[in-house]
């Protein structure tokens, strides 16, 4: 492959898809093992397109209804992910997707890092991906937060 060419991998995903985060980690491992030059671009998909802007409160975790099942927990641990189920609401993800689009268009080298931050904040840290939390995600991913948030609104 010519040195100036890269393989483009477009991933259609929602930031509330736990299997997408596992897939991201597996993809990164495969890219590293291949040694090939690869660009990964994240594209939006809404798992719950009718979600209200404020999200929906999750039912409490219980033995009969755990927020994180055994299979997901073990598959996550195998790739270094700690799924906690700590976020109390299922989020409306359009603003997070808008932030990812900003990164893709204006700071493409940071989009993959932003996706990782959004996954971790929601699935591990229990942080709802909206409002000021998106600004904090932008900062952590190395984006210019004022421009990114203005674009995402």
């Amino acid at each position: 492959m010519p040195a100036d060419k890269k393989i483009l991998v477009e991933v259609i995903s929602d930031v509330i898809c736990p299997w997408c985060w596992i897939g991201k980690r597996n993809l990164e491992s495969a890219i590293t093992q291949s040694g090939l030059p690869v660009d990964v671009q994240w594209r939006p998909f809404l798992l719950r397109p009718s979600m209200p802007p404020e999200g929906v409160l999750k039912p409490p975790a219980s033995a009969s209804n755990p927020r994180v099942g055994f299979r997901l927990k073990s598959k996550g641990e195998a790739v270094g992910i700690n799924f906690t189920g700590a976020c109390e609401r299922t989020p409306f993800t359009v603003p997070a997707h808008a932030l990812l689009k900003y990164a893709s268009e204006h700071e493409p080298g940071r989009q993959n890092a932003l996706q990782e931050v959004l996954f971790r904040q929601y699935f591990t840290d229990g942080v709802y991906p909206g409002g000021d939390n998106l600004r904090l995600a932008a900062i952590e991913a190395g984006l210019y937060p004022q421009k990114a948030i203005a674009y995402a609104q």
Side-chain angles (χ1 to χ4, degrees):
M1 176 173 290
D4 63 336
K5 298 286 184 180
K6 287 189 173 185
I7 298 168
L8 174 61
V9 176
E10 292 182 303
V11 181
I12 313 302
S13 169
D14 198 345
V15 298
I16 60 169
C17 171
W19 296 103
C20 296
W21 193 14
I22 291 171
K24 178 184 185 295
R25 291 287 179 89
N26 287 327
L27 175 62
E28 289 168 343
S29 177
I31 290 169
T32 299
Q33 290 175 22
S34 77
L36 295 171
V38 177
D39 276 334
V40 177
Q41 292 184 355
W42 294 87
R43 303 289 185 224
F45 181 81
L46 298 177
L47 284 174
R48 298 191 175 178
S50 61
M51 184 66 62
E54 68 278 5
V56 172
L57 193 61
K58 293 179 183 178
S62 66
S64 62
N65 185 26
R67 286 191 178 166
V68 181
F70 173 78
R71 183 168 177 243
L72 179 61
K73 186 80 169 164
S74 64
K75 293 293 185 182
E77 287 172 351
V79 293
I81 296 171
N82 178 24
F83 288 107
T84 64
C87 191
E88 296 297 322
R89 289 185 295 152
T90 301
F92 175 67
T93 58
V94 170
H97 286 300
L99 188 59
L100 285 162
K101 184 175 181 186
Y102 168 84
S104 175
E105 292 177 357
H106 299 280
E107 300 184 54
R110 303 214 182 269
Q111 191 199 35
N112 198 50
L114 176 61
Q115 182 69 62
E116 183 72 20
V117 169
L118 292 169
F119 278 145
R120 190 204 72 242
Q121 285 183 341
Y122 178 65
F123 289 116
T124 300
D125 302 341
V127 173
Y128 187 87
D132 195 53
N133 294 332
L134 290 179
R135 185 184 66 78
L136 296 174
I139 291 168
E140 186 177 337
L143 300 172
Y144 294 103
Q146 295 82 2
K147 291 179 182 179
I149 296 304
Y151 179 96
Q153 293 177 343

